[in-house]
Every structure is written in structure tokens, then in C-alpha cells.
Amino acid sequence: MRTLVIVGSGPAGFYTAEAALKTFGDGVRIDMLDALPTPFGLIRAGVAPDHQSIKAVARRFAEVAEDPRVRFLGDVAVGRDIAVAELQELYHDVVLATGAPEDRCLGIPGEDLPGVIGSAAFVGWYNGHPAWADLKPPLDSAVVAIIGNGNVAIDCARILAKTEAELAPSDIAAHALDALRGSAVRSIRIVGRRGPHEASFTLKEVGELGELARATPLVRPGDLPPEAADAGLETGRRRVVGVLRRFAAQGPDSDKPVVIAFDFFRRPLRVLGDGRVAGLELMRTRVGPDGRAEDTGETEILPCGLVITAIGYRTAGIPGVPFDEALGRFSNEEGAIAPGLWCVGWARRGPTGTIGTNRQDGFGLVERLAATAARGERPGPAGLDRLLAGRGIRPVSFADWRRIEAVEAARARAGAPREKLVTLEALRAAARAEAAAAA
Ligand code: NAP
């Protein structure tokens, strides 16, 4: 019997479990650990709350979790409650599927000022992640700068721009909806260090900005390269640039009070402010022959009261696991870290691609894993249970999670799928309530 422990229950973890079930059939037992009492990682805490169709994949993951060969053990943090070396003693294979939950730094002066917030924190806040529920981003200024030209920047802009009615059917956390109701934000600036041709937005995400109830997108026509140059772009990117051209041609809609402006060709130099953010000093750039941003020497000040950095993520290190500081992920060779120790998803390859990219990743990893011989006999799940019980750690099972899910569904606003519990205490209490009542 091959025993496998997967650390992290986001998309990469679940696709790996699905692949292992298909590959090993009845010859495998899988334990899936998560530091949170809740499963699904990025699906719950990263995917935008108004993109419910993307979250539907959680139903498929739940089928995997409820397979008799699989167990979910939430509220167990590897590196705190149990060491990776201990897991290696207990299981044939340890797969780190811990994603990339930490914000990358800009590395510029003023970055530590209150009012500079990484997208992991901001997204975690509106998605009700327990680590960020108390963030209280300052929404009392008219101008917000979002740095980065990827889909996360667009997610943040869209959530800031939407009306309460537009957000009502989403599962945005109540504290975020309350704060946004009183928001003074009227100008959302998406700051990119390169131009429209280099932006990594995708079509659906950029297109949605043209369909908002009270916000209108704005692109400076002068930032667009000559139209003939679009011919050299691959299809997806050409379509995105086509939408940006449409925004530039339309100009702002004067009936809408909020503007989402694309500030292309601007690199942040310094965050300004005394005690809190008051602005951003930007260097104007152009794209050089090597495709990189080059400084023009011309600078400008963008006054703003909140800066959100959406410039990519890093994996969190785990004691004893080799880490590539420059790349912000575990050091690995095609997913292999050491004999019996593997990584997958963003923890393997960095924070790029869609949810579905993790499927290929998970299946690819299991193929490699299956090609290596299992390392002797291992205590497996029973050994883990003994070790956790000895430490007084009580994991949240998938049945417990179903109780949390029921509580969240019951407290949802009208039309919303759930109202998330946002503290560890509340999640643990919901997980145990019915079990305790039945005992
Ligand atoms: P991303 O697509 O890699 O975008 C990061 C952006 O940050 C890039 O525009 C990059 O510019 C910029 N950047 C990096 N360092 C910078 C610096 N020091 N100063 C200024 N700008 C800097 O990453 P993401 O937006 O975090 O998204 C992560 C992944 O999740 C992506 O694959 C994304 O498509 C996916 N995602 C998908 C959805 C969806 O499908 N709805 C939603 C959210 C995220 P350069 O290009 O110049 O390096």
C-alpha cells in the first residue's frame, strides 16, 4: 500500500490526489493536510468572490476528499504542528502543494508605510481569509494605485469599483462589503511598468471592466502602439489589446462616478507619505528592444491614499526544505526535492497559470512519483493519528468541514452562496458544534 501525504488542499493538492487515485487505484492511501480548518486553498481565498463559476471546481474536489482512500485533515500546520521530516518518516511520499501565499516586495523606499498593502493581504481580506480579516484597508481617499498588470490587479480594481448590488450575489466577506459601502474611492489607477502589448491580463478579466455599473475604464490613446504592431501578438494577447483599444476610443463614461485608469509605462520609484501613504513617485518608461522596461528619466507624482501591490507571489518556506530565494519557491527538479519529497503547483513552478494548469501539474507529478519505488514500509495515516493525538492536535475532518459549510450557507445574505466565518475560533466551533451536540 503506497501512502501519500499532500500538504495543502488547494487546486494543486486536489489534482495531485485525483491523479494518485487514478494511478494507484486501491493501492494508495492519501492524507491531505491544510493549515486552515477549511479546504480548497486559492479557490476559497484567492479566486474573486464575484467569479463563482470558477469556484464550482470545489464540487469536484469534494468528491476526491470524500473518496474512502482519502482523508482531509485541516487545522494542521506543517512546520508548526508537525515537521516535514516527521511526515517523511510516516509516508512513502510527501507532496508540498502549499501554493504561493506571500506577497512579493517592490523593494522601493516607503513600501513599509501604512496604506501599502500586498494583493495577497487585500484579496485575503475581501475573501474572508482568517489571517487578513482585520486588515482594514484605508478606503477614505479618492485615489487608489494598484501596481501590476496581471489578472490579480484587475480583480482588486473590479472589487473596489463594483456597487453593493453587483457584489450582492458574490461570497465577499461581510466586513469587506461594509467597508466598501463607505468607500471614498473614485479613481482606481492600474500602474504597469510596461505597455498594453506586455500586460498579462486575460480577455474575460479585462472585458469585465467595460461592463461595470458605476465605473468606466480609461486608456490613454497615446499609450497604444500603432495598430499594425498588434499583428505580431499571439491571439489571446491581440484580443486583450483590442479591448484596450476600444476603451481608449470610447473615453470615460461621464454618467459613471468611478474611473479605472490604466497607467501604462510607469515604474514605481518611491512611496510618499508621512505616517501613511500620500502618493507614489513614478518613473516614466518605454519598452526596450529586449522587451524590458527602460527608464525615460521623466518622473511624476501620483497622489493616492492606498497602494495595492499586485506584482506576484512567493511560496512560504518550511523549515528543512530547500528554498530558492530568487525564484520564491522550493528548489526542485521537475517537482522532486529529495527522495520521497516532492512539490507541485505554484510551490513547484511559481505563481502563474490558471486553476486548470495545476491539473497537468498534478498528473505529471504523479507520473514521476509512480515511476519511483516506494521506500520501505511506512506507518501512514495511523502513524499520523498517533503523533497528532500525542500532541493534543485535533484535525478538522471533511465531515467537520461540511458542518462549517452548512453554517456558512445558513448565514448567507439573500442571493449569496455563503457568508464565510472569518476567524479560526468561529471555524473550529462550527466544525465541532454538531459533533459535540451529538456526543
Ligand atoms: P502576473 O500575471 O504575473 O502579473 C504580475 C504583474 O506584476 C506583471 O504585470 C509584472 O510586470 C508586474 N510586476 C512584477 N514586479 C514588478 C515590479 N517590481 N514593479 C512593477 N510591476 C511589477 O501575476 P498575478 O496578476 O499575480 O496573477 C498570478 C496568476 O494567477 C496569473 O497567471 C494570473 O493570470 C492568474 N489569475 C487568474 C485569474 C483569472 O483567471 N480570473 C485571476 C487572478 C489571477 P512585468 O510583466 O513587467 O514583469
Side-chain angles (χ1 to χ4, degrees), residues 195-218:
H197 273 192
E198 292 79 25
S200 55
F201 314 131
T202 51
L203 187 63
K204 174 177 172 284
E205 282 59 39
V206 81
E208 278 177 298
L209 297 185
E211 294 157 14
L212 298 174
R214 63 161 189 169
T216 179
L218 185 60

Side-chain angles (χ1 to χ4, degrees), residues 43 47 51-58 204-205 355:
I43 300 294
V47 171
H51 281 173
Q52 288 297 316
S53 60
I54 300 179
K55 292 182 190 256
V57 72
K204 174 177 172 284
E205 282 59 39
I355 304 286

